[in-house]
Amino acid sequence: QVQLVESGGGLVQAGGSLRLSCVASGLDFSVNVMTYYRQAPGKQRETVGRISSDGTTEYSDSVQGRFTISRDNAKKTVYLQMNSLKPEDTAVYYCKSGPPFDSWGQGTQVTVSS
């Protein structure tokens, strides 16, 4: 059974930092693209960024230069380092595996106060 467990969310002041973690089990983690999404209240889900199996990363324009995705295949973990946080970064953040094996984490709340 594939499972993604997220942690690291919380409340932070604008300009602060948080690091989210997503630990995978039940899949061959190293071959999977790992993607972070977020969804703010009343808004559509948006892609934050992704990291491919070879470590290549890409980010949305809204977080480019502030957020960094990394992975540790030995720990089956993907990280989202978020710096210079803004109130508009407030959302529930989700990690997703795949392709090739699609599965979603439960989400973790990030709240940035002004």
Side-chain angles (χ1 to χ4, degrees):
Q1 179 180 357
V2 178
Q3 192 173 18
L4 301 178
V5 179
E6 302 182 56
S7 62
L11 173 64
V12 64
Q13 287 189 329
S17 298
L18 282 174
R19 189 177 81 156
L20 307 184
S21 300
C22 173
V23 181
S25 60
L27 79 166
D28 187 353
F29 178 79
S30 65
V31 304
N32 276 270
V33 176
M34 298 298 296
T35 305
Y36 268 100
Y37 297 86
R38 66 186 181 186
Q39 187 163 21
K43 295 188 176 181
Q44 288 189 329
R45 184 178 63 204
E46 65 170 328
T47 303
V48 174
R50 61 174 50 92
I51 184 166
S52 64
S53 57
D54 67 0
T56 302
T57 54
E58 54 184 282
Y59 303 94
S60 68
D61 289 344
S62 61
V63 308
Q64 180 75 48
R66 299 188 298 122
F67 291 11
T68 303
I69 296 176
S70 60
R71 65 191 298 159
D72 185 333
N73 289 336
K75 295 182 178 180
K76 294 190 174 183
T77 302
V78 62
Y79 303 98
L80 178 64
Q81 177 68 44
M82 304 183 293
N83 298 328
S84 302
L85 282 161
K86 305 174 181 180
E88 52 263 43
D89 294 319
T90 295
V92 178
Y93 285 69
Y94 300 90
C95 66
K96 175 186 170 293
S97 65
F101 304 108
D102 291 347
S103 186
W104 288 84
Q106 82 282 7
T108 186
Q109 176 71 47
V110 172
T111 303
V112 184
S113 63
S114 57

